[in-house]
Amino acid sequence: MKALASFLVVVSLTAPALAQQGPAEARHGIDATMYVGISIDTFSARELRRYLNPEESGDRRQRFVAGFNFDYRVAGRDDDRGGQLWLYGETVHGVRSADVNCGADPGIPVCAPFAVGADARKVLFILRNASSLEAFAGARWELMDVNFGEGAAPGSNAVKAYVKGQVGFLAVEQSGGDALNINHVALGLRAVRGRYRDSYFEAGFGTSDLYDVHSDSRLKIDGMLNIDVGLAGAFPFVQMVVDADGRSGADTIQTYIGVSLDLDNVRGWFTPR
């Protein structure tokens, strides 16, 4: 929590004021963001830790991560009411902590994970030095309005209930070349207005080729808190992902802390050094 508090303070002091849709506005038909942060894998299953970060010998394990997200509305009203069909995708590029020696070279961009002004350099560093790649794509059907209110515009606590199906893979360098399939279906709730817009919680079932035992019918829980701190274009987030078998096999809990940046404002973030 101390790291998160420091992160929020730095974001509020250093992020540029950039134009972006406000929390009361309807979602755009297509949204794209990039993000940068850290992944804490301390409570992950041994199979995942060995696969993603095999050279890290300590009990506390983390990776530097960056990636891109997009959402595209295929069908539905522009004011977000009623049924909505969205296609979406995400990439997660990771650099093992064992591959970065911040003590020897503190000038490496990712060695200051909460310095928002250097986000462009962090993303480029992670993309160029990534040792792992996760990619996901899917379809989300938003089937019910929750707390939308009676007015013409949805209320500040408006939420969409949805069902989704997602396919994806995990690939790691020097792992034999075969990507691991990671798929699931889920039900969830997603905020579409207010300070916590785009925050969500979902639960479902799926498969993960990472595990030799109980690789199918795994419980998948994913929750993200996306926070509008009053700086258009920059949104701190905290995400927790649980992949459990519900039996005697291995379970994984991963926590992500980072900042999401609106790609509509890409020129404001990629500034010369």
Side-chain angles (χ1 to χ4, degrees):
M1 293 304 295
K2 290 177 63 178
L4 176 59
S6 300
F7 174 65
L8 294 177
V9 170
V10 172
V11 168
S12 64
L13 293 176
T14 63
L18 301 172
Q20 195 210 15
Q21 63 188 111
E25 296 180 23
R27 292 175 292 177
H28 293 161
I30 182 168
D31 277 322
T33 60
M34 73 176 186
Y35 67 89
V36 62
I38 59 175
S39 169
I40 302 170
D41 301 329
T42 304
F43 299 100
S44 297
R46 181 170 52 188
E47 291 92 334
L48 182 63
R49 295 200 305 267
R50 287 180 175 176
Y51 197 71
L52 292 178
N53 216 351
E55 297 178 13
E56 176 60 67
S57 58
D59 292 331
R60 296 182 179 180
R61 298 169 183 256
Q62 69 180 39
R63 292 176 295 140
F64 304 103
V65 294
F68 299 88
N69 294 286
F70 80 88
D71 288 272
Y72 174 68
R73 178 162 42 205
V74 178
R77 292 170 46 169
D78 292 340
D79 63 0
D80 291 325
R81 290 185 179 274
Q84 303 264 322
L85 177 61
W86 293 79
L87 299 180
Y88 67 90
E90 177 183 2
T91 65
V92 184
H93 306 259
V95 174
R96 291 186 292 252
S97 56
D99 293 339
V100 180
N101 189 341
C102 292
D105 187 359
I108 298 175
V110 295
C111 290
F114 302 130
V116 178
D119 278 309
R121 295 195 296 273
K122 293 179 201 172
V123 171
L124 291 175
F125 177 87
I126 292 173
L127 293 180
R128 293 177 61 184
N129 296 277
S131 55
S132 64
L133 169 63
E134 298 171 71
F136 308 98
R140 182 177 70 247
W141 174 246
E142 298 175 346
L143 48 86
M144 182 182 297
D145 299 341
V146 181
N147 292 332
F148 264 59
E150 300 297 331
S156 60
N157 297 319
V159 172
K160 303 288 286 191
Y162 65 84
V163 59
K164 73 178 227 182
Q166 176 176 296
V167 296
F169 68 84
L170 167 62
V172 175
E173 64 176 1
Q174 300 178 353
S175 62
D178 188 21
L180 303 178
N181 296 319
I182 303 175
N183 311 312
H184 77 276
V185 295
L187 296 172
L189 295 171
R190 186 182 189 93
V192 296
R193 294 291 189 279
R195 184 178 183 184
Y196 302 105
R197 175 191 182 124
D198 291 329
S199 299
Y200 65 84
F201 175 82
E202 64 183 43
F205 290 91
T207 63
S208 177
D209 289 349
L210 179 66
Y211 304 96
D212 294 330
V213 178
H214 302 157
S215 62
D216 57 354
S217 299
R218 298 185 64 84
L219 174 64
K220 308 273 188 169
I221 300 175
D222 186 356
M224 186 177 78
L225 180 64
N226 193 64
I227 310 167
D228 181 357
V229 294
L231 295 165
F235 297 89
F237 69 86
V238 180
Q239 181 181 11
M240 181 173 289
V241 179
V242 178
D243 186 341
D245 76 336
R247 291 159 286 182
S248 59
D251 301 330
T252 288
I253 303 173
Q254 293 175 281
T255 302
Y256 299 86
I257 302 174
V259 61
S260 180
L261 308 172
D262 180 16
L263 283 181
D264 284 346
N265 301 312
V266 65
R267 292 182 62 185
W269 290 104
F270 283 86
T271 55
R273 186 171 182 175

